[in-house]
Amino acid sequence: MVSVQAKVRMAVLRASGQKRFYDNASALHHRLPRHQKPSMTRPPRKVRRRVDVEHHDVLGFPCYTFRPRGVRACDLHVLHLHGGGYVEQVEKHHWRYAADLVARLGCAVTLPVYPLVPHHDHTATVPMVQAAYDEIEAERVVVTGDSAGGALALAIAQNLRADGRPQPERLVLYSPWLDVLLEDPVSELLDETDPMLGIAGLREAGRMYAEGTDPRDPLVSPIHADLTGLAPITLFIGTRDVLLPDCRRFRARARDAGTELDYREYPGMFHNWLMQAIPEGREAMNHVERLLRRSPVSAHRTQ
């Protein structure tokens, strides 16, 4: 049963015109400036009042780390990679999510403001988030990512495996965008009921992000990745999300690869509902909190 709050939120999303941004390539390009305002690259004042904030640059781009007030060292450090189709800047709900994790877990959270298309593509974005990960020194490191950020989390894990380096303790993916081509025909059907995303606009964003390489490259579209040897994964997806079919394919591929996957599919939920103030969002984040509170038997990162 979908809550009244969730139904209201979906109605608000439809009325807000968020989906029109992804209607087609022309709409996406026309509306890009309002989704990439420089002011969006800084944590809101309300969030700054809740946590200690450290700012530094990584490969020339801003990176922020939140910690509990007065605490410098945290056993758990979460790297969060924000969503937005590689074309949208960090939004208020991403900053709130980071501050909420700090409050829930007493952990540190790093949020990179990574380069966006059309001015950059995957050749700038993946190295920047990888460098942000490499800077983290903590007993426990977890990587979370929503939408496009979920694909970036999987790119980091693939790079670590290729270099023979330890994996993070866990990857937590919220409504991940796993295929920039969105080739599954079921996604076309879901486009009619998804209140946030549109196939045509996403494909244009994906085309720009993959510029100069095969869009089926596993670092660009991790639905095609070899999943063996990656960290344990938790994946959340809703049934009103155009990204649902690829998440189901990913579930099957993880099973075949023997990769540990905690798959959470929520009936009636829309894209990235976890970061919304609705009962289903709180329920999902409570699961994340329980998951990350469990101290692993083996120390530090998964070998």
Side-chain angles (χ1 to χ4, degrees), residues 132-144:
Y133 175 87
D134 292 343
E135 289 186 349
I136 295 174
E137 296 181 1
E139 183 178 345
R140 302 172 57 207
V141 181
V142 170
V143 183
T144 68

Side-chain angles (χ1 to χ4, degrees), residues 80-134:
H80 182 70
L81 305 170
H82 74 87
Y86 306 112
V87 294
E88 296 188 74
Q89 198 48 270
V90 190
E91 297 194 63
K92 289 181 180 178
H93 62 264
H94 295 120
W95 298 116
R96 286 197 302 268
Y97 162 83
D100 287 346
L101 271 191
V102 172
R104 282 173 174 263
L105 295 164
C107 63
V109 179
T110 290
L111 205 158
V113 183
Y114 57 76
L116 302 174
V117 298
H119 304 293
H120 305 277
D121 57 35
H122 68 284
T123 60
T125 304
V126 173
M128 188 273 177
V129 298
Q130 184 70 56
Y133 175 87
D134 292 343

Side-chain angles (χ1 to χ4, degrees), residues 36 43 47-49 61 79-80 107 192 205 211 235 238 251 272 286:
Q36 296 186 359
V47 169
R48 288 177 176 271
R49 287 199 290 262
F61 294 90
L79 174 70
H80 182 70
C107 63
E192 299 176 7
E211 188 73 28
L235 189 158
R251 174 179 56 182
N272 205 19
N286 286 343

